[in-house]
Amino acid sequence: LPLELAVLLSYTLPALTLGSEYALDRVAANIIMLALLTLAAALGKRALEGHERFAFAQLSAERTLRAQAEHKLSRALDAQQQQQQQKQQGLGESDAASSVPETTITGELFAAVGRSDGSVEG
């Protein structure tokens, strides 16, 4: 408001105190036109500011939702990796328990090396 008031007074005061080459009714019409233009510019500026604030609020809300979605995705991926690691550890233990040397090819080969005749059972 101070800027708009300064614009209006910057024409009105000199025109009324110092005088103008135009008639008083013309000066009054100029003051009214300047006031209307200043009012329209001020209202447009306020409307634009409101629109910018709304757009910023919308953008920040979208960024918040995106950050939350990325966080959920990260947590889901971490949980999936932990489950895979647990499965691998669980399979490793069960493989070690079920991997008896006699049931694997390398077990048979080492058993054959250990025999005196070198024959492989098959």
Side-chain angles (χ1 to χ4, degrees), residues 59-112:
L59 179 68
S60 64
E62 288 173 3
R63 285 185 178 173
T64 302
L65 289 174
R66 181 177 180 167
Q68 289 173 349
E70 288 177 353
H71 181 68
K72 283 183 181 180
L73 179 62
S74 174
R75 286 180 41 197
L77 289 175
D78 288 344
Q80 185 181 15
Q81 287 175 352
Q82 286 178 353
Q83 287 177 353
Q84 287 177 351
Q85 287 175 354
Q86 289 174 354
K87 285 181 181 180
Q88 288 175 354
Q89 289 174 355
L91 288 177
E93 292 171 1
S94 64
D95 284 347
S98 66
S99 177
V100 180
E102 292 80 24
T103 62
T104 62
I105 297 172
T106 55
E108 293 176 7
L109 289 174
F110 284 120

Side-chain angles (χ1 to χ4, degrees), residues 13-64:
L13 289 178
L16 294 178
T17 57
L18 299 176
S20 175
E21 64 183 61
Y22 299 109
L24 190 58
D25 60 339
R26 189 118 188 204
V27 172
N30 287 341
I31 291 172
I32 291 171
M33 291 298 284
L34 181 62
L36 290 176
L37 288 173
T38 304
L39 178 66
L43 291 176
K45 184 172 67 169
R46 300 296 187 264
L48 180 62
E49 183 179 350
H51 177 70
E52 287 176 349
R53 286 176 183 251
F54 176 75
F56 178 76
Q58 194 174 23
L59 179 68
S60 64
E62 288 173 3
R63 285 185 178 173
T64 302

